[in-house]
Amino acid sequence: MTRRVTVLGAGPAGRGVAHRMMVAGLAVTVVEAHPDRAWHATYACWSDELPAWLDPTAIGAQVDSVHVIGTTAVEVDRGYTVCDTAALQRTLTLDDAHVVQGRVVAVDGERVRLADGTSVTGDVVIDCRGTAIRDAPRQTAFGIVVDAATAERYLDGAAAVIMDWRAGRIVNRDELPSFLYAVPLGHGEFLLEETCLAGHPALPLDELERRLYRRLGSLADGARRTERVTFPLIASGRRPWRLRPFPFGAAGGFVHPTTGYSVAAALRTADDLVGAVLDGADPARRVWSSSARAVYELRLRGLGVLLRLDPVQTTRFFEAFFAMPVARQRSYLSHRDDLAGTLAAMTRVFARLDTSMRATVARASAASPSASIPGWDAN
């Protein structure tokens, strides 16, 4: 008998898993308050993170390497992809799904109750509505989209710069640091974005806007449009594998707590979730192996470290990280269940730090990352 799957939310994670469920022959209902709303955010990832099944038309731009700039520039020899947002949404088609427009107010087992009083049922309910934690560490960013000629004046020959900590350095060590993120979008456009990687509270968007324009100067005059970003870096609970209904995507811990990337991880894992549903297995056991759980806990410790570093220490930290071989970087950045590789990467970074920074990192790592988030540790 065909199993009926109800997916709550139609962002990249929800739309992606619903799409793969239908490809596998499952009957899918998608519940979304705004099913026709166009996506406008920029989604990017390391190229080797992309699932093989993704339609190539969803790719907006790809580069073979990127630069990271602290006190000096380092070229990271790893491909990087920026999605064509509209094409990504379009290719994750929901044509064969039953789409229900509505706001979810309660989920009781297999029954989903909507604000208008109606209900939707399914044999399996997957929650892709994003994290429900409000008081959470967040990533924030303000960016402008410019033409290639304008971007080239900043890039100075680099194909893309994913972190530039140089300009606008903060003199006051109590202030949160930010960096410039400069990547091609395709169609002759580039995104130049001032980013606060992690803060609790994070830098407000108006402060990031001021920093960006101060950094770019006259380059900002070429802005075609702006982009504003703010999202939590943690799941809806400390242990997302225990939550019900089963959360997937940002709600389910697929946002990397120390980078903010999530879309590729969710798309790559979608077929594991599909396989669990087809087999009648517990999705949490299939998606969250013991090593994946351990890696997530380590990444949360990494977030705790970032939240305690001052601007100078933050720059040194990332210089140490990107000085590692790409294989070690990949273990920490991209592999959800590579416990040995994640530990090796963290150990290698720690070894490259000076004595004072080691003490800071050790203290931050020992602290509970949930201590300042009321109620989160209990889930």
Side-chain angles (χ1 to χ4, degrees):
M1 182 175 68
T2 301
R3 304 197 78 192
R4 299 169 303 145
V5 181
T6 300
V7 177
L8 310 182
R15 200 172 177 107
V17 77
H19 176 73
R20 296 305 290 171
M21 293 278 185
M22 289 182 289
V23 169
L26 293 163
V28 178
T29 296
V30 176
V31 181
E32 167 60 51
H34 305 284
D36 298 322
R37 176 182 291 172
W39 298 347
H40 296 290
T42 298
Y43 303 116
C45 64
W46 300 102
S47 299
D48 52 31
E49 294 176 335
L50 292 170
W53 54 260
L54 187 69
D55 190 321
T57 63
I59 295 173
Q62 286 185 318
V63 296
D64 294 330
S65 65
V66 299
H67 279 70
V68 175
I69 307 173
T71 53
T72 59
V74 174
E75 185 173 12
V76 179
D77 189 20
R78 187 181 180 193
Y80 194 79
T81 294
V82 181
C83 293
D84 180 323
T85 302
L88 177 65
Q89 184 176 17
R90 185 171 59 251
T91 58
L92 298 177
T93 175
L94 299 181
D95 291 346
D96 295 328
H98 175 47
V99 179
V100 176
Q101 182 172 2
R103 182 173 61 86
V104 177
V105 294
V107 181
D108 181 14
E110 299 173 351
R111 182 176 297 278
V112 178
R113 186 158 54 87
L114 307 183
D116 63 3
T118 63
S119 295
V120 176
T121 59
D123 300 311
V124 179
V125 178
I126 308 296
D127 190 354
C128 301
R129 291 175 294 167
T131 183
I133 303 295
R134 293 188 178 183
D135 180 22
R138 302 182 76 86
Q139 183 171 125
T140 53
F142 177 87
I144 60 173
V145 175
V146 300
D147 61 27
T150 300
E152 187 59 38
R153 291 163 54 196
Y154 164 77
L155 289 167
D156 193 26
V161 175
I162 61 168
M163 279 184 170
D164 181 355
W165 298 96
R166 295 174 303 175
R169 281 188 186 147
I170 310 302
V171 175
N172 182 354
R173 289 197 172 199
D174 292 332
E175 289 191 73
L176 284 175
S178 60
F179 62 87
L180 187 68
Y181 173 75
V183 296
L185 301 177
H187 311 294
E189 293 187 325
F190 278 73
L191 174 66
L192 305 179
E193 188 172 78
E194 192 76 20
T195 302
C196 173
L197 187 62
H200 192 207
L203 287 174
L205 296 181
D206 57 353
E207 170 60 17
L208 289 167
E209 182 177 2
R210 283 192 293 269
R211 291 189 186 186
L212 179 67
Y213 288 136
R214 185 169 63 240
R215 181 195 294 267
L216 295 179
S218 63
L219 287 181
D221 296 338
R224 294 181 172 182
R225 58 186 183 277
T226 62
E227 181 169 311
R228 292 167 171 81
V229 177
T230 176
F231 60 85
L233 290 164
I234 60 175
S236 293
R238 173 68 185 272
R239 299 167 183 85
W241 47 87
R242 294 184 179 179
L243 300 177
R244 295 294 180 271
F246 181 74
F248 192 69
F254 280 78
V255 176
H256 196 305
T258 56
T259 69
Y261 289 89
S262 67
V263 172
L267 295 180
R268 280 178 63 89
T269 312
D271 281 356
D272 293 335
L273 181 53
V274 171
V277 173
L278 288 171
D279 296 341
D282 180 2
R285 290 185 177 273
R286 187 68 58 88
V287 173
W288 285 101
S289 65
S290 59
S291 58
R293 297 179 189 189
V295 167
Y296 185 65
E297 291 285 345
L298 287 173
R299 288 176 171 180
L300 289 176
R301 298 285 172 176
L303 173 60
V305 169
L306 285 183
L307 293 173
R308 289 165 175 81
L309 296 181
D310 67 35
V312 173
Q313 291 172 329
T314 300
T315 301
R316 291 175 181 170
F317 184 87
F318 281 102
E319 286 179 329
F321 183 89
F322 285 106
M324 290 193 299
V326 167
R328 279 284 171 260
Q329 298 175 30
R330 184 183 290 112
S331 293
Y332 183 79
L333 295 174
S334 304
H335 294 164
R336 293 182 60 248
D337 57 358
D338 184 0
L339 179 57
T342 298
L343 285 169
M346 296 175 80
T347 301
R348 190 156 183 163
V349 169
F350 187 80
R352 293 184 65 92
L353 303 176
D354 60 37
T355 303
S356 63
M357 273 203 68
R358 288 181 188 177
T360 300
V361 170
R363 288 193 299 269
S365 298
S368 171
S370 60
S372 60
I373 308 172
W376 190 59
D377 194 43
N379 294 318

